[in-house]
Amino acid sequence: VDLNKGSDRGNLELELTHSKVNLKGLQGHKIYTKVEAFRSKTSGKNAASDTESSYDLAHTGEKLAEETNAQDDVNQTLQVRKPTIDTRALAYNKYKIVNPTSDVQITDKVHVNDLVPGHKYKLHLTLNTFDKDGNAVAYKDPKTGNAVTKDQTFEADNSQMDVAVTYDKFSTVGQNGKSLVTFADITPDDDDGNKLANHNDKDNQDETIKVTNPKLHTVALMDDTHTPNPNRKSSLKDKVSVTDVAPNQPVEIGAVAADSNSNALEYQENGKTYHLMGRVKFTPKSDTTSLTGDATGTNYNVDVPLMKVEDATPGKVDSVKSFEDAHNINKLNAVDANWPSQNPVDAAKQQTGNSNANWSKFQDTPYAIDTRDLKGKTFTLFEDLYDTSGNGFSSEHDVNNKDQQIRVCN
């Protein structure tokens, strides 16, 4: 700067632009600039005006002025932001627990502090579970084998923001009893390697979703006893208690009668061969499941009515669904769990999908079973718990379980 030129010599305003500075790793630090003025070296004179014609960038060493206490001058100070993030994971935007089922959807509500408005950021979320030693490891979708992750870019419109990040749907089939915890970090949108903050606490319950481990406990009753007499119009039901099932998420129970070899029970009526099967749908309710903290599953009791389904082909019962598929049986519609309060004719029409059936009372419906052909026989009811897509996550197939057995007297 040539202070000899211009009428305002001695009063000068300059704008100095630093080259780009790397601030990585300086989150939370305060930086300031300090200005010093020196007399510069000259490099020749103009013969016509006898004034210095140019100046070197190197100074003479003579300091003319300096700014003092620059670190305390707010006009000279910049604060490097130190973002922080907190997260709360919810399944289906409501729940802290899910069943071991397909198509699970988890949304992480991320709260971010100390952003620079107008800057673009990227959130990186990874779902984790735990190995046998309790270490967090990346959770892999059992259906695809891929890690469950999600990135989301946003532009800050405030220094604090809440950003909802939803994972793509994934499966928890076979993951009974596991915990899923979200790890999150934030970076500039254009620099994934520059982690500004993270939240990777494997013990944080706000970040955790629990997969339930449902169990079935059943009591089979024919005409309200384990040992009925043969009857032309018997009724068969399975009283099922489900433990540790996720509340407010619909499920189904399927049941089939099996012999001592785990083959579907066959019996004759009016020259036709039948199996005994049933299916009920219900949504467990609970008002005690917290949206934060260590939530647990609820318990639920339901009665499953069994009806006769025509099928002349014997077969082993590995699961109710596989038996239906293998025998090309039309799957029974799941009757509502409140069926005991319904007219049995209406329940049977819902279960079979035959709304035009000419039934007038229980004795006319497929629920009325002629057990005279079963005299002296013992059979067991097998049950499976499903999601609404047919994925099973609990079963009870114990042929030696007396609670599940019916013995028709002879």
Side-chain angles (χ1 to χ4, degrees), residues 222 229-232 234 369-375 408:
M222 178 168 273
N229 290 314
N231 192 314
R232 292 181 62 250
S234 289
I369 302 166
D370 187 345
T371 58
R372 291 176 296 177
D373 184 55
L374 297 175
K375 287 190 298 184
V408 181

Side-chain angles (χ1 to χ4, degrees), residues 19 22 45 50 95 105 108 111-112 117 124 128 151 153 188 205 230 236 257 278 306 350-351 396-397:
S19 57
N22 183 357
K45 293 188 176 183
D50 198 34
Y95 311 119
Q105 191 161 62
D108 223 288
H111 180 72
V112 193
H124 308 264
N128 296 269
D151 290 354
T153 299
Q205 293 302 314
L236 176 61
L306 279 79
Q350 178 188 351
Q351 187 116 65
E396 183 59 73
H397 290 192

Side-chain angles (χ1 to χ4, degrees), residues 37-139:
F38 294 86
R39 187 182 301 281
S40 66
K41 294 179 179 179
T42 59
S43 58
K45 293 188 176 183
N46 187 308
S49 62
D50 198 34
T51 59
E52 288 105 347
S53 58
S54 62
Y55 300 86
D56 290 340
L57 289 179
H59 58 73
T60 64
E62 181 184 352
K63 184 183 293 186
L64 303 179
E66 67 177 326
E67 186 174 23
T68 59
N69 299 321
Q71 67 268 31
D72 299 321
D73 185 349
V74 294
N75 293 317
Q76 289 292 92
T77 304
L78 296 174
Q79 182 70 43
V80 183
R81 294 293 178 98
K82 186 178 181 180
T84 60
I85 53 178
D86 292 295
T87 68
R88 184 174 71 157
L90 293 175
Y92 313 111
N93 282 317
K94 295 181 180 180
Y95 311 119
K96 295 297 294 179
I97 54 179
V98 295
N99 290 319
T101 180
S102 62
D103 296 331
V104 172
Q105 191 161 62
I106 292 177
T107 297
D108 223 288
K109 297 184 178 182
V110 184
H111 180 72
V112 193
N113 290 298
D114 210 13
L115 299 170
V116 180
H119 284 209
K120 289 185 177 181
Y121 298 89
K122 187 184 290 184
L123 288 166
H124 308 264
L125 271 62
T126 302
L127 199 63
N128 296 269
T129 187
F130 301 94
D131 62 19
K132 60 182 178 60
D133 297 319
N135 301 310
V137 294
Y139 177 77

Side-chain angles (χ1 to χ4, degrees), residues 65-262:
E66 67 177 326
E67 186 174 23
T68 59
N69 299 321
Q71 67 268 31
D72 299 321
D73 185 349
V74 294
N75 293 317
Q76 289 292 92
T77 304
L78 296 174
Q79 182 70 43
V80 183
R81 294 293 178 98
K82 186 178 181 180
T84 60
I85 53 178
D86 292 295
T87 68
R88 184 174 71 157
L90 293 175
Y92 313 111
N93 282 317
K94 295 181 180 180
Y95 311 119
K96 295 297 294 179
I97 54 179
V98 295
N99 290 319
T101 180
S102 62
D103 296 331
V104 172
Q105 191 161 62
I106 292 177
T107 297
D108 223 288
K109 297 184 178 182
V110 184
H111 180 72
V112 193
N113 290 298
D114 210 13
L115 299 170
V116 180
H119 284 209
K120 289 185 177 181
Y121 298 89
K122 187 184 290 184
L123 288 166
H124 308 264
L125 271 62
T126 302
L127 199 63
N128 296 269
T129 187
F130 301 94
D131 62 19
K132 60 182 178 60
D133 297 319
N135 301 310
V137 294
Y139 177 77
K140 294 187 177 180
D141 186 333
K143 185 162 58 176
T144 65
N146 298 327
V148 178
T149 63
K150 188 69 174 181
D151 290 354
Q152 184 158 317
T153 299
F154 68 97
E155 182 174 335
D157 56 19
N158 204 314
S159 62
Q160 297 185 24
M161 288 187 65
D162 292 311
V163 183
V165 184
T166 300
Y167 290 102
D168 296 335
K169 289 183 177 180
F170 61 94
S171 172
T172 56
V173 172
Q175 308 303 301
N176 301 44
K178 289 190 175 182
S179 293
L180 308 177
V181 59
T182 289
F183 285 1
D185 62 62
I186 186 170
T187 67
D189 178 39
D190 58 354
D191 189 358
D192 287 353
N194 182 14
K195 291 185 179 181
L196 304 177
N198 62 49
H199 197 252
N200 299 343
D201 182 358
K202 68 183 181 68
D203 298 318
N204 189 311
Q205 293 302 314
D206 280 346
E207 294 183 339
T208 302
I209 298 291
K210 178 190 173 185
V211 183
T212 61
N213 186 23
K215 300 294 183 183
L216 297 174
H217 307 275
T218 67
V219 177
L221 295 174
M222 178 168 273
D223 299 334
D224 295 321
T225 180
H226 289 295
T227 55
N229 290 314
N231 192 314
R232 292 181 62 250
K233 302 296 181 182
S234 289
S235 64
L236 176 61
K237 65 182 176 182
D238 203 5
K239 299 181 74 66
V240 182
S241 174
V242 187
T243 60
D244 195 23
V245 64
N248 307 305
Q249 298 171 40
V251 292
E252 296 183 1
I253 292 178
V256 61
D259 63 21
S260 59
N261 295 314
S262 298

